[in-house]
Each structure stands twice: as structure tokens, then as C-alpha cells.
């Protein structure tokens, strides 16, 4: 269902989401740090040279914000929408981070048309359920893969939190 389980699978010792193993902070520190877009939150891209897998880790603004982001991703996944595998990890200082696996070859789509627009309308119900208000702002949260599937790559604005971690105010609920 996209909910992290306690079992572990190789090559990483971190959480398993929908059968996909994700790295721990220690696993990430063994990888090569690579450049990439990070948005407004502190975050870093990592590439595992042995597998070719790429991950993004961003600092949670709070434990609740990180939990809402990962839970939001699970809701999108259960509803059949495209979303990266995400989980909560802790660094050596005990700080909360969200790690997600990169989906290759995504393109920005701030103004969808045709079949992609139809899919966007279907996904809008999930956006509304999770109160994600910035899903289509600038095209950076919704991206399209080469076969035309929309992926919600950032679910940080899910639930009671704004994308930057602050609480949503009543006028935005």
C-alpha cells in the first residue's frame, strides 16, 4: 500500500515501501552526492554508483510535516497515481529527513493538454482530499514521464502542512 514496513531488502538497510528498499542515512553517506534541484527545503541528491539508483533526501521541517509528506505519497500510490517511493529516515543527529527515489525522464507540465489533462482532472480529487493547494504551481510538483503518466513528485504540502512546513490556516482548508 505504499506504507513503510519494518522488513528490509538489499541493497539498503532502510525502510521498504511497496516492495522497494530505500536507503538509511548511513547508506546515503556511502553514495556519491550529485547536483540537482532541491526546492526551498534543505536537501541533497545522492547516486548509488553500484546500482545507478538516485535518491533525494530533504530535511523535514518537523516530524509531523515529514509524516504528512510520506502519508500523502502513500495515498497517491494507493489511489493509483504516480508518486516516488518515500520514507522517513533519521540522520546521525536524530534529525528527520524524507528520502525518495528519483523517477527518470520526467518533464515539467504546468499546462497539461489532451490525455494528460484528463489524467490531471482524475488526480485532482487526490489533491483535494490531501488539501494540496500548490500541486500545479509552476509545474514543479507534477511532472510527466515519457509515456504520459503524471507523477506528483513533491507531496510536502499534504494534510495540515503547507509545502514549507507551516500549518495551513483555515482560509486555505
Amino acid at each position: 500500500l505504499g506504507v513503510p514496513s519494518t522488513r528490509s531488502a538489499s541493497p539498503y538497510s532502510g525502510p521498504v515501501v511497496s516492495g522497494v528498499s530505500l536507503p538509511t542515512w548511513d547508506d546515503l553517506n556511502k553514495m556519491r552526492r550529485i547536483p540537482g534541484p532541491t526546492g526551498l527545503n534543505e536537501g541533497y541528491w545522492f547516486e548509488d554508483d553500484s546500482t545507478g539508483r538516485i535518491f533525494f533526501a530533504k530535511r523535514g521541517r518537523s516530524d509531523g510535516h515529514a509524516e504528512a509528506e510520506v502519508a500523502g505519497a502513500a495515498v497517491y500510490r494507493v489511489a493509483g497515481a504516480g508518486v516516488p517511493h518515500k520514507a522517513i529516515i533519521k540522520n546521525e543527529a536524530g534529525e528527520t529527513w524524507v528520502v525518495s527515489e528519483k523517477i527518470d525522464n520526467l518533464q515539467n507540465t504546468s499546462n497539461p493538454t489532451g490525455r494528460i489533462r484528463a489524467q490531471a482532472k482524475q488526480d485532482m480529487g487526490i489533491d483535494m482530499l490531501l488539501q494540496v493547494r500548490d500541486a500545479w504551481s509552476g509545474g514543479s510538483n507534477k511532472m510527466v514521464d515519457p509515456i504520459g503518466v503524471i507523477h506528483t513528485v513533491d507531496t510536502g504540502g499534504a494534510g495540515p502542512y503547507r509545502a514549507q512546513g507551516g500549518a495551513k490556516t483555515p482560509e486555505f482548508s
Side-chain angles (χ1 to χ4, degrees):
L1 294 177
V3 178
S5 72
T6 56
R7 63 187 169 82
S8 182
S10 76
Y12 310 113
S13 57
V16 177
V17 178
S18 297
V20 176
S21 63
L22 294 172
T24 63
W25 190 259
D26 287 340
D27 293 328
L28 290 174
N29 281 325
K30 295 173 188 168
M31 296 180 198
R32 182 169 48 96
R33 194 177 287 185
I34 60 173
T38 60
L40 298 175
N41 291 312
E42 178 183 0
Y44 306 99
W45 287 94
F46 299 88
E47 183 170 7
D48 184 337
D49 290 327
S50 67
T51 65
R53 292 171 70 186
I54 296 175
F55 301 94
F56 180 63
K58 71 176 180 179
R59 183 190 304 269
R61 295 290 177 132
S62 67
D63 287 353
H65 183 232
E67 290 164 2
E69 177 165 354
V70 171
V75 171
Y76 278 102
R77 183 170 308 287
V78 168
V83 66
H85 295 97
K86 294 179 180 241
I88 294 172
I89 61 173
K90 301 280 186 170
N91 68 5
E92 61 277 348
E95 299 166 324
T96 300
W97 290 71
V98 174
V99 63
S100 58
E101 186 167 10
K102 180 184 180 197
I103 300 171
D104 290 329
N105 303 314
L106 297 180
Q107 302 282 327
N108 282 339
T109 178
S110 59
N111 189 17
T113 59
R115 185 173 60 81
I116 295 170
R117 184 177 182 89
Q119 181 187 348
K121 287 180 180 180
Q122 290 178 333
D123 288 359
M124 185 185 289
I126 307 165
D127 298 333
M128 293 170 66
L129 174 70
L130 294 173
Q131 298 181 2
V132 177
R133 301 183 331 272
D134 64 347
W136 290 97
S137 62
S140 62
N141 291 337
K142 300 278 190 179
M143 300 182 86
V144 179
D145 69 19
I147 62 170
V149 174
I150 296 173
H151 296 267
T152 303
V153 296
D154 188 352
T155 55
Y161 296 93
R162 297 183 65 155
Q164 295 305 307
K168 289 180 182 163
T169 55
E171 63 267 17
F172 291 113
S173 295

